[in-house]
């Protein structure tokens, strides 16, 4: 083996060790994100089971890539051995809400868990205190314990709470920053600020028709449920009921599919349920 090939093999082995170390370093953060998102999604599911409006529309999670971690450490002059203690958003969870009014409710849900399965270290309100770039979001920095093979480990994590409009803007800005390596042209920065204001105005306008939107969503959910029940009943009756009865049921359903009221759909469901009882379905 030549000296050059031996050196290359050593460098390759070194890179492999560094990669494995990053995997080991990030695994607890992946576990933390998985647990936090699961817990929040269970809360969402509980709201749905109880038939209540949930202030959380979507819950997302991510772990920073090693390149992003090292870049942030470089910018903030954080030594590698201090990364775990000083970079707060290696583990990130994002809660997206439909309306601005939902954000305080989500904050309250998280605060109620304080000193139970997480510890709140700091809250940063970038909605009231908008960043110069136009960025709006509510950040909660937490300490979260995970159980690893080596024992319990406390990690820093960040929970971001924002509206759909705020999230759309933030994702777009992040993409542009990545493209321009963080050095956005001034003209583009100005346009982003205008877009942020437009997103904020959209949130305010949506708040004025919030009750109408929520009513429409509840109405559509109930209607979808009735239609699903009716289709199940029809499917069950096909093998036992007469052809004439099923044609009549299908005709009524087609007539009500688009424009039928809830009362009319409930009446059809009740009639089909009675037929199913008669036929022993």
């Amino acid at each position: 083996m030549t000296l050059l090939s031996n050196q290359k093999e050593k460098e390759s082995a070194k890179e492999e060790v560094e990669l494995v170390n990053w995997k080991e370093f990030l695994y607890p953060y992946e576990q933390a994100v998985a647990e936090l998102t699961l817990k929040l999604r269970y809360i969402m599911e509980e709201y749905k089971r109880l038939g209540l409006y949930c202030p959380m529309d979507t819950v997302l999670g991510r772990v920073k890539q090693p390149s992003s971690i090292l870049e942030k450490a470089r910018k903030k002059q954080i030594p590698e051995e201090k990364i775990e203690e000083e970079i707060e958003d290696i583990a990130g969870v994002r809660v997206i809400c439909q309306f601005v009014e939902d954000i305080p409710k989500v904050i309250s849900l998280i605060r109620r868990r304080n000193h139970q399965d997480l510890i709140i270290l700091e809250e940063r309100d970038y909605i009231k205190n908008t960043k110069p770039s136009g960025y709006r979001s509510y950040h909660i920095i937490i300490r979260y314990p995970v159980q690893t093979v080596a024992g319990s480990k406390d990690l820093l994590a960040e929970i971001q709470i924002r509206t759909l409009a705020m999230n759309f803007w933030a994702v777009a800005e992040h993409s542009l920053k990545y493209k321009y390596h963080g050095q956005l042209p001034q003209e583009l920065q100005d346009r982003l600020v205008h877009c942020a204001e437009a997103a904020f105005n959209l949130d305010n306008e949506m708040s004025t028709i919030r009750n109408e939107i929520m009513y429409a969503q509840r109405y559509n959910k109930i209607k979808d449920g009735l239609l699903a029940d009716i289709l199940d009943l029809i499917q069950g009756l096909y093998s036992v009921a007469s052809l004439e009865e099923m044609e009549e049921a299908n005709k009524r359903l087609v007539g009500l599919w688009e424009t039928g009221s809830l009362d009319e759909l409930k009446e059809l469901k009740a009639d089909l349920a009675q037929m199913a009882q008669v036929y022993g379905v």
Side-chain angles (χ1 to χ4, degrees):
M1 182 181 290
T2 67
L3 183 62
L4 182 59
S5 62
N6 188 34
Q7 181 65 26
K8 285 183 177 179
E9 186 176 341
K10 285 181 179 179
E11 289 175 357
S12 177
K14 183 180 178 183
E15 288 175 0
E16 185 176 349
V17 169
E18 289 176 349
L19 181 60
V20 170
N21 286 340
W22 268 113
K23 285 182 177 179
E24 291 174 358
F25 176 80
L26 292 177
Y27 181 74
Y29 290 96
E30 293 169 1
Q31 183 179 336
V33 168
E35 290 180 9
L36 286 165
T37 53
L38 182 64
K39 288 175 180 180
L40 290 170
R41 285 168 184 165
Y42 267 122
I43 294 173
M44 292 174 66
E45 187 59 35
E46 185 178 2
Y47 269 96
K48 291 176 183 177
R49 285 201 304 265
L50 294 173
L52 301 173
Y53 171 77
C54 181
M56 296 181 286
D57 182 76
T58 309
V59 175
L60 305 170
R62 66 100 185 97
V63 176
K64 269 187 180 295
Q65 294 296 316
S67 57
S68 297
I69 297 170
L70 290 173
E71 177 63 17
K72 188 164 189 175
R74 184 189 64 78
K75 285 183 178 178
K76 292 182 173 289
Q77 298 183 331
I78 299 170
E80 285 192 32
E81 64 272 14
K82 294 284 188 180
I83 283 175
E84 197 170 0
E85 302 170 25
E86 298 188 26
I87 296 186
E88 303 158 337
D89 63 343
I90 296 176
V93 173
R94 184 174 299 157
V95 180
I96 302 174
C97 307
Q98 290 193 84
F99 305 102
V100 175
E101 290 84 358
D102 295 332
I103 292 176
K105 296 174 184 176
V106 176
I107 295 168
S108 179
L109 284 171
I110 295 168
R111 284 175 181 166
R112 287 206 294 268
R113 303 186 80 102
N114 193 24
H115 294 290
Q116 293 182 16
D117 58 349
L118 56 85
I119 296 174
I120 295 175
L121 301 178
E122 188 179 351
E123 297 184 28
R124 299 168 185 163
D125 189 346
Y126 296 121
I127 298 173
K128 288 183 179 177
N129 306 301
T130 310
K131 288 188 176 184
S133 64
Y135 177 86
R136 287 179 171 89
S137 187
Y138 197 96
H139 292 192
I140 301 178
I141 309 302
I142 65 169
R143 190 176 297 281
Y144 184 79
V146 294
Q147 300 302 317
T148 70
V149 175
S152 182
K153 184 179 180 67
D154 287 349
L155 300 174
L156 295 178
E158 180 182 76
I159 302 174
Q160 299 176 350
I161 309 161
R162 57 177 67 151
T163 63
L164 291 159
M166 292 174 193
N167 188 63
F168 177 77
W169 183 92
V171 170
E173 190 227 19
H174 178 78
S175 299
L176 289 169
K177 275 188 173 179
Y178 185 81
K179 176 185 176 182
Y180 288 96
H181 306 287
Q183 303 298 319
L184 293 179
Q186 186 59 50
E187 185 265 344
L188 192 53
Q189 291 181 44
D190 294 340
R191 289 169 66 185
L192 275 171
V193 170
H194 291 313
C195 289
E197 289 304 312
F200 182 67
N201 291 333
L202 174 62
D203 275 332
N204 288 334
E205 284 297 316
M206 294 297 283
S207 292
T208 65
I209 56 171
R210 178 172 178 265
N211 290 337
E212 284 293 328
I213 294 170
M214 290 174 65
Y215 174 79
Q217 289 173 342
R218 283 197 300 268
Y219 178 91
N220 292 333
K221 185 178 179 180
I222 293 170
K223 185 173 181 179
D224 288 344
L226 284 170
L227 288 169
D229 290 343
I230 289 168
L231 288 170
D232 285 343
L233 285 165
I234 289 175
Q235 185 67 31
L237 286 165
Y238 257 114
S239 58
V240 293
S242 68
L243 182 60
E244 290 78 10
E245 287 175 315
M246 297 317 301
E247 284 181 350
E248 176 61 25
N250 277 315
K251 189 183 296 183
R252 287 179 66 185
L253 176 59
V254 169
L256 298 175
W257 187 271
E258 291 290 340
T259 59
S261 68
L262 293 184
D263 287 339
E264 290 172 316
L265 288 168
K266 287 176 183 177
E267 183 181 350
L268 175 56
K269 178 183 173 181
D271 291 344
L272 292 170
Q274 188 174 5
M275 282 178 61
Q277 188 175 7
V278 170
Y279 284 106
V281 176

